[in-house]
Amino acid sequence: MAGAAHARGLLWDAGNATVAVADLPSQGQQTYRLILQGGPFPHDKDGSVFGNRERLLPRERRGYYREYTVETPRARDRGARRIVCGGQRPSTPDACYYTSDHYSSFRKIVQ
């Protein structure tokens, strides 16, 4: 995936690793809308703290990032797709990032 930040190799590069809201899968667009509305979310783990252990996102204090499930058609579990948002208030995030591969790479969501 060109332009994405990867766990093995590239560090986060916000200039290259972006995705427009309109280019997210439809399920990602729905999750993004729910985040901005403050929910309700379909999964109990949605809104839980994301630790950024992979260190692919900009370094912030623990509790800054929260993760949300992006539904994956035909998946029997939550699947690999997530949106991770950072900020003081979850419904008004400073920035959100999309991963389609369960945290191996991220793209910053832009309008």
Side-chain angles (χ1 to χ4, degrees):
M1 176 183 308
H6 290 273
R8 295 167 201 80
L10 297 177
L11 296 177
W12 176 255
D13 181 357
N16 293 329
T18 62
V19 59
V21 173
D23 292 333
L24 289 170
S26 60
Q27 300 88 353
Q29 293 175 34
Q30 174 64 22
T31 299
Y32 188 72
R33 281 191 296 273
L34 287 175
I35 292 165
L36 299 181
Q37 292 171 10
F41 301 102
H43 297 276
D44 290 340
K45 291 188 177 183
D46 289 342
S48 63
V49 170
F50 175 74
N52 195 23
R53 287 186 293 274
E54 298 80 2
R55 295 185 178 161
L56 292 177
L57 299 180
R59 184 168 283 187
E60 295 288 348
R61 63 173 168 55
R62 176 139 175 86
Y64 180 82
Y65 292 113
R66 303 206 171 260
E67 69 172 278
Y68 304 87
T69 305
V70 174
E71 295 290 339
T72 302
R74 297 175 300 284
R76 297 182 131 180
D77 56 15
R78 291 173 61 212
R81 304 187 306 178
R82 302 282 188 280
I83 292 177
V84 175
C85 294
Q88 298 296 321
R89 295 175 35 181
S91 62
T92 55
D94 296 336
C96 293
Y97 304 86
Y98 174 70
T99 178
S100 61
D101 53 17
H102 205 258
Y103 319 124
S104 290
S105 66
F106 289 93
R107 291 183 285 165
K108 185 175 184 179
I109 299 173
V110 296
Q111 296 296 322

